Amino acid sequence: MENNNHIIICVGRQLGSGGHDIARMLAKDFNAKYYDRELLNLAAKESGFSERIFEKNDEQKGFLKSLFNISTPHLSGSSFGPNFSQESLFQFQSDAIRKAAAEGSCVFVGRCADYVLRDMPNVVKIFITASMRSRIDKILAHQQVTPQQAKRIILDAEGHRASYYNYYTGKKWGAAESYDFCIDSSILGLADTEKLIAQFIRKRFGL
């Protein structure tokens, strides 16, 4: 299938906004492959590095400070040698994103996919937010923490995501001008939010 005959949906999301669930629904709706943490496995295969290294690097800056405290057998024989860096891992992940996007319709969650695929046709950039109360409730439903701890979890995670995204893209994570469509999922709920996003995508691409 040619690049201009399929759709690439890049989903940014706030923690607890239901972005992963909405992205999965979009993938089903558009008969597209879904990529979230699956990208880490693809990047590991492309690079020859351990998937654990990509997990440590996942959407956060500064992980290299602790990288060599874990077993990294793939590094010693790497062709990168002393040039190994977090930017190298980002490049491998970007290559995996581009390869997947070239093969057919895809939904990517996070990992700067909107920036990596910025020159590819039929790319739509979505950002999903939700009220803090709604996001705290989502954390409380899955973790044994207090509301105050849940809020700290959200703020810490989003701080890492923002730092990572802003560093590699030169744009601002979560800012409306960085995306084509932004929506608060706590207003309509996940299912109706997905339907509205899908309607926007179909309208945009004349489907």
Side-chain angles (χ1 to χ4, degrees), residues 13-23 25 128 130 138 185 190:
R13 75 288 182 215
Q14 288 187 312
L15 186 67
S17 66
H20 294 88
D21 294 329
I22 291 170
M25 287 187 273
I128 300 170
K138 184 71 69 71
S185 64
L190 301 189

Side-chain angles (χ1 to χ4, degrees), residues 127-144:
F127 192 82
I128 300 170
T129 183
S131 68
M132 180 58 77
R133 180 69 261 171
S134 172
R135 291 186 287 143
I136 288 175
D137 288 343
K138 184 71 69 71
I139 297 297
L140 294 177
H142 293 88
Q143 298 187 41
Q144 296 296 317

Side-chain angles (χ1 to χ4, degrees), residues 3-28:
N3 284 350
N4 59 0
N5 288 334
H6 61 256
I7 295 172
I8 306 301
I9 304 170
C10 301
V11 178
R13 75 288 182 215
Q14 288 187 312
L15 186 67
S17 66
H20 294 88
D21 294 329
I22 291 170
R24 288 190 185 93
M25 287 187 273
L26 287 168
K28 183 176 181 180

Side-chain angles (χ1 to χ4, degrees), residues 19-203:
H20 294 88
D21 294 329
I22 291 170
R24 288 190 185 93
M25 287 187 273
L26 287 168
K28 183 176 181 180
D29 208 349
F30 287 93
N31 193 29
K33 290 186 177 179
Y34 172 84
Y35 292 100
D36 183 7
R37 294 186 64 81
E38 292 85 354
L39 285 172
L40 306 183
N41 178 262
L42 289 178
K45 289 181 179 179
E46 288 291 314
S47 66
F49 292 147
S50 167
E51 185 174 349
R52 190 177 179 192
I53 296 175
F54 288 92
E55 290 175 350
K56 296 284 285 186
N57 177 55
D58 195 24
E59 291 193 301
Q60 59 180 317
K61 289 289 296 171
F63 90 108
L64 283 177
K65 293 178 182 178
S66 61
L67 175 62
F68 293 99
N69 292 327
I70 64 175
S71 175
T72 54
H74 292 283
L75 291 181
S76 59
S78 168
S79 60
F80 277 84
N83 295 321
F84 176 82
S85 68
Q86 190 165 8
E87 281 66 28
S88 301
L89 296 186
F90 180 79
Q91 186 60 53
F92 281 126
Q93 184 169 272
S94 297
D95 290 343
I97 288 171
R98 282 188 284 265
K99 182 175 181 180
E103 293 176 352
S105 294
C106 298
V107 176
F108 295 103
V109 177
R111 297 170 182 84
C112 302
D114 59 320
Y115 176 77
V116 172
L117 302 175
R118 62 193 181 280
D119 296 325
M120 192 171 180
N122 290 6
V123 173
V124 61
K125 298 166 287 185
I126 307 296
F127 192 82
I128 300 170
T129 183
S131 68
M132 180 58 77
R133 180 69 261 171
S134 172
R135 291 186 287 143
I136 288 175
D137 288 343
K138 184 71 69 71
I139 297 297
L140 294 177
H142 293 88
Q143 298 187 41
Q144 296 296 317
V145 295
T146 67
Q148 293 77 15
Q149 290 171 327
K151 184 174 182 178
R152 176 48 54 190
I153 289 170
I154 289 169
L155 294 177
D156 286 347
E158 292 186 350
H160 288 306
R161 286 180 184 175
S163 177
Y164 183 88
Y165 183 89
N166 297 350
Y167 177 83
Y168 285 111
T169 70
K171 300 191 296 180
K172 186 176 181 180
W173 181 82
E177 62 266 24
S178 297
Y179 308 92
D180 301 313
F181 191 92
C182 302
I183 189 167
D184 183 335
S185 64
S186 61
I187 296 175
L188 298 178
L190 301 189
D192 284 342
T193 295
E194 188 276 336
K195 290 178 182 177
L196 190 57
I197 295 171
Q199 182 181 4
F200 167 78
I201 293 171
R202 291 190 176 96
K203 185 74 172 179

